Amino acid sequence: DARLLAVDGDTVFVRAPADGPAARAALDAGSGAVRWSLDPAPPDLAETEGCVVDEVGGLAVCSAGSPQDAVLHLDLRDGALVARTPLPGDVVDWDLLDGDLLVAVREGARLVVVRVTPGLAEGDAPVPRWRVSVPLGGRGDARPLLLDARDGFV
């Protein structure tokens, strides 16, 4: 019993078992054959949840921690942890745009969206590109919010 984390072309990235932190694996979409597996998953990967495929870098980018305190950048060819990008504050949601990480954070009655280029080479720090702050209005803290990046728009 496995839980789907991400799909990239003919590679399916899963957590098995679906309700536990044990293994992470990449499967061939056509045959179901295991391409690689990490069993048990290393501590950094043990809490990975929802993943998005970075089409620019061929990486699975997954939320980690509870509450979310980082995203992990995993190489889908072998499962190697390429980078860990810390997330600031009260994270509402995150998404990818052209290889960059977009993070939406609540700051009081405002929603702050930050675009960060992750540091994917060893020793590289994430580089903030821009930051936008918008008021949430009277019921801002009660509404569920979703960050969506498509076609160059956030």
Side-chain angles (χ1 to χ4, degrees):
D1 189 29
R3 178 169 180 235
L4 178 66
L5 295 175
V7 177
D8 182 31
D10 63 351
T11 302
V12 179
F13 182 47
V14 298
R15 177 175 70 196
D19 60 352
R24 300 296 180 270
L27 311 176
D28 180 278
S31 68
V34 176
R35 291 190 173 165
W36 56 260
S37 68
L38 304 170
D39 188 9
D44 270 351
L45 305 182
E47 293 186 33
T48 53
E49 285 297 328
C51 299
V52 177
V53 173
D54 176 358
E55 296 176 7
V56 175
L59 304 173
V61 182
C62 307
S63 59
S66 182
Q68 292 182 64
D69 65 354
V71 294
L72 305 178
H73 307 262
L74 309 173
D75 189 326
L76 283 172
R77 294 172 298 178
D78 60 8
L81 178 62
V82 175
R84 184 178 200 279
T85 303
L87 295 177
D90 184 11
V91 176
V92 173
D93 201 6
W94 62 270
D95 203 352
L96 296 175
L97 180 65
D98 299 330
D100 286 346
L101 183 64
L102 298 171
V103 182
V105 180
R106 286 183 203 268
E107 289 184 359
R110 301 189 73 76
L111 179 70
V112 177
V113 179
V114 181
R115 182 174 182 172
V116 176
T117 299
L120 298 180
E122 189 172 332
D124 284 355
V127 177
R129 304 231 350 235
W130 51 254
R131 173 186 168 103
V132 175
S133 176
V134 294
L136 288 171
R139 296 182 3 186
D141 289 342
R143 292 182 297 193
L145 300 169
L146 174 69
L147 181 66
D148 188 18
R150 278 189 256 182
D151 301 323
F153 293 96
V154 179

